[in-house]
Amino acid sequence: MRQFMEQVRRTRALRAAAEQELAEVYAALEEAEAACSPKVLAAALLGPRESAVLSVSVQRHLGAALPEVSFAAPTLVRLPYGCAQTDAALDRAFLRLAALLPQLLQLAQSEQRLHGMAREIESARRRVNALEYIVIPETKAAIRRITMKLEEHERGNVVRLMKVKELVLADAVRRRRDMQNL
């Protein structure tokens, strides 16, 4: 739980920073939309794109399969559109978004780790509840039944031993009487 709560705090901090950056990107994009015509803006954003390498691996942590993302982004040398008809606000929005991409991927990874840990905690809680409310009471009841049966058998053995002792004593008394009569 301590690791889960620590992950929650990290994820909240990442989310707050990403939301703030995204708000600034959207503000710059709105400014670019106001300065450029929709056709020019659409044409600028339909230009060639850079590619990035994203690799995802799975790590096991506390019994949960958690994603580990590594991101290799190319350095942005030039914007994927011409600057003649676009506004500088679009450049700012594009560059900020490119810089924000690793942070967004880290946030996604953190949230996936959080969901995986939450599923594992819920699963552990179900197992604990099953133990606490089903397995342990059934085991205690079985122990009580076995103890009662063993005590009952012990009482039966004591009664049998007393009966045998009584028969042996009665036989010894009868033999003594027979010996005295002879």
Side-chain angles (χ1 to χ4, degrees):
M1 281 303 286
R2 186 177 22 229
Q3 289 179 352
F4 177 74
M5 294 309 292
E6 184 179 312
Q7 183 71 29
V8 167
R9 280 189 288 279
R10 281 194 304 259
T11 303
R12 280 184 182 161
L14 283 171
R15 177 173 282 283
E19 285 177 351
Q20 180 181 2
E21 284 290 322
L22 277 174
E24 292 173 7
V25 167
Y26 285 134
L29 196 57
E30 285 177 357
E31 186 180 331
E33 284 179 342
C36 299
S37 70
K39 279 186 173 184
V40 170
L41 193 60
L45 296 177
L46 286 176
R49 305 227 173 15
E50 298 284 336
S51 62
V53 177
L54 181 71
S55 63
V56 179
S57 61
V58 176
Q59 286 186 337
R60 303 255 346 140
H61 185 66
L62 300 175
L66 304 175
E68 188 70 33
V69 178
S70 61
F71 176 68
T75 56
L76 189 62
V77 177
R78 62 182 181 81
L79 295 171
Y81 52 84
C83 296
Q85 295 178 346
T86 60
D87 190 54
L90 182 62
D91 299 346
R92 282 194 305 274
F94 189 82
L95 292 173
R96 276 201 147 152
L97 192 58
L100 184 61
L101 188 58
Q103 187 178 355
L104 290 174
L105 288 172
Q106 185 180 9
L107 175 62
Q109 173 183 327
S110 182
E111 286 188 352
Q112 283 300 316
R113 292 177 71 89
L114 199 60
H115 287 293
M117 290 171 85
R119 281 191 303 270
E120 196 60 34
I121 288 170
E122 184 62 30
S123 173
R125 185 172 289 144
R126 280 192 206 113
R127 286 191 300 266
V128 166
N129 284 342
L131 282 171
E132 190 174 332
Y133 295 109
I134 296 172
V135 175
I136 292 174
E138 286 177 357
T139 305
K140 284 181 178 179
I143 290 171
R144 264 195 313 275
R145 281 193 307 274
I146 291 169
T147 303
M148 287 173 39
K149 281 286 189 186
L150 289 174
E151 288 172 353
E152 186 179 324
H153 284 296
E154 185 65 29
R155 283 192 298 273
N157 285 339
V158 168
V159 168
R160 269 191 292 281
L161 285 173
M162 290 172 69
K163 193 69 168 171
V164 168
K165 183 178 179 182
E166 193 177 291
L167 289 174
V168 169
L169 283 175
D171 190 43
V173 168
R174 188 176 44 81
R175 280 189 191 165
R176 190 179 278 162
R177 257 193 245 148
D178 286 346
M179 290 275 247
Q180 287 176 353
N181 287 341
L182 279 177

